[in-house]
Amino acid sequence: MSAMLMSGCGRTWVVFMVLCFWQPYGGFGDGAIACGGNHLVHHRISHWNPPPQDIVKLNVDGSYFQDCQRMGVGGIFRTSACVCLGGFQGFAGVGDSFEAKLLALLSGLQFAWMKGCRNMIVESDALEVVNVFQEITIPFHKHLGVIQSIRDYTQRNWNLRIKHVFREANQVADLLAT
């Protein structure tokens, strides 16, 4: 267990977390069905799953502090054996929530390329960010510069897949981004 001091917008937190063993195989289960009044309710519960052998998984997230408009980014790299290869966190200037999530993805891709990771799955709980990279063209967007930088990285010579996961499967990256 490690302790990290993180501050932002005049507040300071001490966050205790287990980076590599943060519910790597469950603890939440795969789902449950319960009675809710006169109807059945299916609860979708998700958890982090390790990547296939010889693939590195990067989980990224961005946060936005509305009271001061500052953005935080964070990410963690793990192997199929749940070995933590490293991570990153930091503040990314003034902006908005969507930009924070884009910058977290860009930071993760830059770090991965620099460290020589060429076989990766990137997971984000920001569906709107993942969807941007499924579109062929984006004629105009407020954050077109960041989007184009990410697209430049995705077109490099590596095996890269960007996918959406539910928030429960992205908890470590979420903590790093706050």
Side-chain angles (χ1 to χ4, degrees):
M1 185 168 291
S2 63
M4 295 170 37
L5 278 176
M6 293 189 278
S7 62
C9 303
R11 295 174 288 206
T12 302
W13 301 276
V14 177
V15 177
F16 293 93
M17 68 182 112
V18 179
L19 288 178
C20 297
F21 302 104
W22 186 281
Q23 299 180 1
Y25 293 107
F28 286 115
D30 292 323
I33 296 179
C35 264
N38 294 328
H39 60 281
L40 290 176
V41 178
H42 183 266
H43 296 278
R44 173 201 41 98
I45 302 175
S46 182
H47 59 272
W48 185 84
N49 288 307
Q53 190 73 25
D54 299 324
I55 295 179
V56 172
K57 184 177 278 189
L58 165 63
N59 289 84
V60 296
D61 202 6
S63 61
Y64 173 66
F65 304 99
Q66 189 171 3
D67 54 339
C68 61
Q69 299 179 346
R70 290 185 64 186
M71 302 177 294
V73 297
I76 184 168
F77 296 85
R78 292 178 277 197
T79 67
S80 60
C82 299
V83 173
C84 178
L85 299 176
F88 64 93
Q89 74 162 137
F91 287 104
V94 176
D96 58 53
S97 178
F98 186 72
E99 184 179 15
K101 293 173 185 310
L102 287 170
L103 289 171
L105 176 57
L106 178 60
S107 297
L109 293 175
Q110 289 170 333
F111 190 70
W113 187 263
M114 182 179 70
K115 292 296 183 183
C117 295
R118 298 296 185 266
N119 198 15
M120 288 187 37
I121 295 173
V122 180
E123 294 181 338
S124 172
D125 60 12
L127 183 59
E128 66 276 15
V129 169
V130 173
N131 285 342
V132 164
F133 298 99
Q134 294 176 353
E135 297 174 22
I136 296 171
T137 61
I138 301 174
F140 175 76
H141 194 282
K142 179 179 177 181
H143 304 298
L144 187 58
V146 179
I147 292 169
Q148 189 55 52
S149 293
I150 295 169
R151 283 194 168 179
D152 291 345
Y153 270 94
T154 63
Q155 294 171 2
R156 291 185 178 197
N157 188 25
W158 57 357
N159 179 19
L160 177 68
R161 180 174 169 221
I162 300 172
K163 64 182 253 185
H164 175 259
V165 293
F166 294 110
R167 192 171 184 192
E168 297 88 352
N170 211 36
Q171 293 179 28
V172 175
D174 181 63
L175 280 173
L176 289 169
T178 56

